[in-house]
Amino acid sequence: MLKFAPDTEVLLLDDDEHLRTALCQTFELAGIRVQAQGSAEGLLDALPAQWPGVVVSDIRMPGMDGLQLLDELAGIDAQLPVLLITGHGDVPLAVQAMRAGAYDFLQKPFASDLLLDSVRRALDVRRLVLENRQLRMALAGQQQLGERLLGHSVAARRLRQQVQALAPLPADVLILGETGSGKEVVARTLHDLSPRCNAPFVAINAGALAESVIESELFGHEAGAFTGAQKKRIGKFEYAQGGTIFLDEIESMNPEVQVKLLRLLQERVVERVGSNQLIPLDIRVIAATKEDLLLAADEGRFRADLYYRLNVAQIQIPPLRERQDDILPLFTHFMGQACQKYQIAEPELPAVKRVLLLGHDWPGNVRELQNAAERFALGLDLAISTPLQDLAGKEGLPLPQQVEAFERALIAAELAREHSSLREVAEALQIPRKTLHDKIRKYGLDQSSVGGNPPG
């Protein structure tokens, strides 16, 4: 199969070896990087996506001729410039080819300057086409990012920037984030904005696979490899060929599977259970974990060499409690989705409920918030636990009483947090210590959990 050199600008196809050699010398003297072969065999499979070069091909060649090649290339990339070389009797065919989308044709014999001029113009056209595509893809990517990775906070914007920067690159990625923070959403977005977007995205929750089947699920097996293996099975890695495989809860893999995964990542080959054949893989691996893998490695639960192999590029998803600015917009978004799903009117979100949402720590992150929004849309309780919960019964009271209830709940919530002294509580609330002391007495709050120190 033809292998493209990364800097190839012209692919020359001609079965006349002498002409091929002469044209290669012409391109090289002009500073144009060229690859040449005597037929179109293997070209279609080897052609890189978004290749920035042009094809120069004779019309009459053994096997696939120039017109057939033009038609096949148009199916892959209609804007790839193809220049055809014709003999005297092939001019009518060349005119037909121009109508079919060929960039130019040259009739033998032709001057070198004529060929070079046409190729340079074609290269300029190709660069403009690819630049425009990249701009359109970037705009589409920004729109997709905004639709999938929602949020206006600094942390949300930083996350979108990271995803946009890493998506088009071939590097493997390790995603770190708490349960429910959206690790699979980030992984799918990386895939959908990458050149692999038309190939499979295969998601695997390593923690949900039984140890007895995990190797077969991931790597596949041959018929008869073990009891019950009646026929050959293609594993997830092999099925993801050309695309992306997402390994969630990577920390839960057993040591034997970790060894096999390390080898797969190093050599980019997979070996089915019960087979000695190595199958080359062209995949991108995205792994995710909620644990500190280095700590797990220190404790002997995870291989350090596998961690470093996975951690080529890293994305840290911030927990929702660190994205306060995103809580209400996300809740409103999910509530709207739920109302559309159930075809019901969207309820009004009272101010007290907003306070409750902002006062919750969201240990389940975005997943928990989405669940709460769907429950609220259905007229059910939010099902969240927060020190501000007593505000729920204050709706309908006069404003001064609601303000007092809100102030009491905020101070109680801060007292319940881990503080070594009331001085820290006052600093967190940004009020003088004497004011804090007065309000604690006014509202009859319990300060015993705060180091037992009186404000002073």
Side-chain angles (χ1 to χ4, degrees):
M1 179 183 289
L2 173 68
K3 290 187 177 180
F4 274 80
D7 59 352
T8 299
E9 293 180 292
V10 171
L11 180 65
L12 173 64
L13 306 173
D14 199 305
D15 60 331
D16 184 333
E17 183 178 356
H18 296 295
L19 180 60
R20 201 164 64 239
T21 301
L23 293 180
C24 282
Q25 291 176 348
T26 297
F27 286 125
E28 289 167 357
L29 288 171
I32 297 174
R33 294 173 292 276
V34 61
Q35 271 188 256
Q37 65 178 45
S39 71
E41 183 180 359
L43 169 63
L44 300 178
D45 292 331
L47 189 70
Q50 307 297 317
W51 178 51
V54 301
V55 175
V56 177
S57 174
D58 192 10
I59 284 187
R60 298 196 180 276
M61 293 187 297
M64 183 183 296
D65 64 28
L67 294 180
Q68 291 173 316
L69 174 63
L70 175 67
D71 185 59
E72 293 288 344
L73 289 175
I76 298 173
D77 187 342
Q79 294 177 298
L80 176 64
V82 179
L83 285 71
L84 295 176
I85 299 173
T86 71
H88 178 71
D90 295 329
V91 171
L93 288 177
V95 173
Q96 177 186 339
M98 291 290 289
R99 290 173 179 165
Y103 178 79
D104 199 357
F105 76 93
L106 299 171
Q107 183 179 349
K108 301 175 185 175
F110 50 82
S112 298
D113 289 346
L114 190 63
L115 171 65
L116 293 174
D117 180 64
S118 182
V119 165
R120 287 188 177 113
R121 283 187 285 109
L123 286 170
D124 288 340
V125 169
R126 184 62 174 166
R127 290 188 190 103
L128 286 173
V129 165
L130 295 183
E131 285 174 7
N132 287 334
R133 282 184 189 172
Q134 289 175 350
L135 287 172
R136 287 196 298 270
M137 286 177 64
L139 291 172
Q142 287 176 0
Q143 183 176 357
Q144 282 196 49
L145 282 170
E147 292 172 352
R148 296 188 186 191
L149 306 180
L150 302 170
H152 308 295
S153 66
V154 173
R157 292 199 301 271
R158 186 182 301 116
L159 176 62
R160 286 195 292 270
Q161 289 169 355
Q162 283 184 293
V163 170
Q164 189 170 19
L166 289 175
L169 304 180
D172 294 339
V173 178
L174 179 63
I175 302 174
L176 309 178
E178 296 179 2
T179 299
S181 58
K183 296 187 288 294
E184 184 167 347
V185 174
V186 169
R188 284 186 178 273
T189 306
L190 284 168
H191 171 77
D192 289 344
L193 298 184
S194 77
R196 299 178 180 272
C197 59
N198 294 321
F201 175 87
V202 180
I204 302 168
N205 187 325
L209 293 175
E211 288 198 12
S212 58
V213 300
I214 188 170
E215 290 192 39
S216 175
E217 284 287 324
L218 295 181
F219 309 118
H221 65 251
E222 296 291 343
F226 50 84
T227 303
Q230 298 180 357
K231 58 182 180 179
K232 179 176 69 175
R233 176 183 177 85
I234 301 298
K236 300 294 188 183
F237 281 99
E238 193 175 345
Y239 181 74
Q241 190 74 272
T244 302
I245 192 158
F246 172 57
L247 300 172
D248 198 6
E249 297 190 21
I250 191 76
E251 72 280 357
S252 64
M253 280 189 170
N254 67 49
E256 290 182 7
V257 177
Q258 289 182 35
V259 171
K260 288 195 171 186
L261 178 58
L262 177 62
R263 181 189 179 198
L264 183 149
L265 292 172
Q266 289 173 332
E267 302 178 15
R268 278 324 199 245
V269 294
V270 66
E271 184 178 343
R272 298 186 195 126
V273 177
S275 172
N276 295 318
Q277 181 184 1
L278 297 179
I279 302 169
L281 291 177
D282 172 24
I283 59 172
R284 184 187 201 181
V285 177
I286 301 176
T289 179
K290 60 181 180 293
E291 285 195 30
D292 182 337
L293 292 184
L294 277 180
L295 178 60
D298 291 340
E299 296 174 350
R301 295 184 291 109
F302 199 81
R303 295 182 62 96
D305 48 3
L306 177 56
Y307 165 74
Y308 289 114
R309 177 61 65 176
L310 288 168
N311 193 29
V312 177
Q314 185 183 111
I315 292 178
Q316 176 82 53
I317 303 179
L320 188 57
R321 63 182 172 274
E322 295 178 6
R323 300 168 51 190
Q324 280 280 315
D325 293 348
D326 295 333
I327 291 174
L328 294 180
L330 284 173
F331 186 89
T332 303
H333 171 77
F334 292 137
M335 183 173 62
Q337 282 187 330
C339 291
Q340 187 174 13
K341 172 183 174 182
Y342 297 114
Q343 297 184 336
I344 55 179
E346 190 168 324
E348 183 181 351
L349 184 63
V352 169
K353 292 290 192 295
R354 293 171 183 261
V355 173
L356 292 175
L357 293 172
L358 293 173
H360 187 48
D361 276 346
W362 301 106
N365 290 289
V366 177
R367 188 182 301 154
E368 183 186 4
L369 180 70
Q370 185 172 9
N371 179 266
E374 187 162 351
R375 289 179 61 83
F376 183 76
L378 293 171
L380 303 175
D381 184 70
L382 287 173
I384 59 176
S385 176
T386 167
L388 305 182
Q389 191 67 45
D390 62 340
L391 288 177
K394 306 301 182 183
E395 294 178 60
L397 291 177
L399 180 61
Q401 290 178 259
Q402 290 194 48
V403 170
E404 284 193 354
F406 179 47
E407 184 177 63
R408 184 186 189 283
L410 286 180
I411 296 173
E414 202 60 48
L415 288 170
R417 298 183 190 275
E418 294 184 4
H419 291 296
S420 61
S421 68
L422 288 179
R423 180 197 298 260
E424 289 187 7
V425 177
E427 290 174 352
L429 293 169
Q430 300 182 39
I431 60 175
R433 283 175 289 167
K434 185 179 185 307
T435 302
L436 174 63
H437 182 66
D438 291 342
K439 290 184 182 296
I440 287 174
R441 286 190 300 181
K442 175 183 176 182
Y443 296 126
L445 295 171
D446 180 13
Q447 65 185 56
S448 59
S449 63
V450 188
N453 299 319

